Amino acid sequence: MSRIRWFCGPTVLALALAGTACRSESERAEGAVREPGDQTTRRGEPPPGPKQAPGKDLREQAGRVGEKAEQLAQEGKELGKEAREQAGRAGDKAEQLAREGQQLGQETREKAEQLAERGRQAGHDVGNQMNRVGEQTGALKDNHGARPQSAPPAAPRDKAAPQPPQQGQAEGAKKQEGNAAAMERDEWTKAAKDNDYQVTFGRDGSVIATKEAKRTGARPSDETLRNAVGGKLADSDHDAVKKLHVTVRDGVVTLQGTVASVKEATEAVKEAMDADGVTKVISYIRHGS
């Protein structure tokens, strides 16, 4: 019985050692077959599965970022389109307001010029009336003072008294001059009425012709008006009218020069007023009769 126990003790120990050695050899052989990365596998752990593709998570994140960027880009395009449309509408509105303001300004200037011309005409008419009243008053005084008186004694022939100045002749010449001026104004007024424009007379001897502007758009430039008036005057039958000097400033035409008669002067103004775009002509034309 003791032998069996003695035999069993060493035998069991030897078998245990042999099993351990075999297990170690088996593990070493298995490690040699495995890849270097698998040597870290611990005992009892399941063998690692197939490796995932490197950067897969990064690619997924990049894809999500790209989709978000495309969405933001699309939203930015839509916002840009709306902004451009709003800017376009604002620009159109600004242009419309600018055109309306320009038109109102032009109408205001034309209205102011018409009122100024009417005021000058009224002042001129009042001045003429005052002059007529003064002439009539002077004539009444002369008639009232001209009472029959006894003739003064005749002076001796060797000592004749000095003759008084020819006051009557001077007054007659002045009256004739006034009548001529009135006749000239009548001719200007008649010509204006026949040709659908108005005239006023300045204190400097100028004749101002005006007419209503036609609403056909923007006013032509000064150079365009000067060429148009020059072309009209060039078609005249009178050489003096063809040689008149024409200037234009801010749409106002000025004629200067000398012609033979009032008729030629009124003809020159009529031709200038007939040019396209002309609404006001100032005449400093001198004439012989």
Side-chain angles (χ1 to χ4, degrees):
M1 192 66 179
S2 61
R3 287 182 182 178
I4 294 172
R5 285 197 301 271
W6 178 83
F7 176 77
C8 291
T11 302
V12 172
L13 180 59
L15 291 173
L17 291 173
T20 301
C22 291
R23 193 165 47 251
S24 298
E25 291 296 333
S26 176
E27 289 177 356
R28 281 195 296 271
E30 184 179 0
V33 175
R34 293 176 184 170
E35 295 179 359
D38 297 333
Q39 293 178 1
T40 58
T41 304
R42 295 182 180 179
R43 185 181 302 172
E45 293 182 357
K51 294 185 176 180
Q52 295 181 352
K56 182 177 180 181
D57 293 340
L58 294 177
R59 284 195 298 272
E60 292 177 353
Q61 293 178 1
R64 290 192 293 271
V65 171
E67 293 175 356
K68 189 65 176 178
E70 290 180 357
Q71 181 181 358
L72 293 175
Q74 185 65 28
E75 293 177 357
K77 289 180 180 178
E78 294 177 356
L79 290 175
K81 183 179 180 181
E82 292 178 0
R84 286 192 297 271
E85 292 177 354
Q86 292 179 359
R89 288 193 294 270
D92 295 339
K93 189 65 176 179
E95 291 180 359
Q96 181 181 358
L97 292 175
R99 287 194 297 269
E100 293 177 356
Q102 185 177 5
Q103 183 177 0
L104 289 175
Q106 183 177 359
E107 292 177 356
T108 303
R109 287 194 299 271
E110 293 175 354
K111 191 67 175 179
E113 290 179 358
Q114 293 176 4
L115 292 175
E117 292 299 336
R118 292 177 182 176
R120 284 193 289 269
Q121 179 66 31
H124 183 72
D125 294 341
V126 171
N128 291 336
Q129 292 177 2
M130 294 297 294
N131 291 334
R132 294 192 189 97
V133 171
E135 292 175 358
Q136 294 175 359
T137 303
L140 290 175
K141 288 182 178 180
D142 293 340
N143 294 332
H144 182 71
R147 295 178 178 178
Q149 297 179 357
S150 59
R157 291 183 179 180
D158 55 349
K159 296 182 180 180
Q163 295 294 329
Q166 303 297 329
Q167 182 177 1
Q169 295 180 0
E171 291 180 355
K174 184 177 180 181
K175 186 175 182 180
Q176 290 180 358
E177 183 178 353
N179 292 335
M183 293 176 62
E184 180 179 347
R185 286 195 295 269
D186 291 341
E187 290 189 32
W188 279 107
T189 303
K190 183 178 182 301
K193 184 178 180 180
D194 293 341
N195 296 281
D196 296 329
Y197 62 86
Q198 298 81 35
V199 291
T200 56
F201 304 96
R203 295 184 178 180
D204 55 355
S206 62
V207 179
I208 304 166
T210 58
K211 67 179 180 180
E212 294 291 335
K214 296 180 180 179
R215 306 299 182 194
T216 58
R219 177 177 60 83
S221 64
D222 292 347
E223 184 66 19
T224 301
L225 293 177
R226 190 180 69 82
N227 293 334
V229 173
K232 287 286 186 180
L233 297 180
D235 295 335
S236 175
D237 296 333
H238 306 285
D239 292 337
V241 174
K242 296 179 180 179
K243 296 178 181 179
L244 291 175
H245 182 64
V246 182
T247 57
V248 182
R249 182 176 181 181
D250 295 334
V252 179
V253 179
T254 301
L255 301 179
Q256 293 176 320
T258 303
V259 295
S261 63
V262 180
K263 184 178 180 181
E264 292 185 8
T266 58
E267 177 187 342
V269 172
K270 172 187 174 300
E271 294 296 332
M273 293 294 288
D274 287 342
D276 292 337
V278 175
T279 59
K280 183 176 181 180
V281 175
I282 301 176
S283 171
Y284 290 99
I285 302 175
R286 300 183 180 274
H287 55 82
S289 59

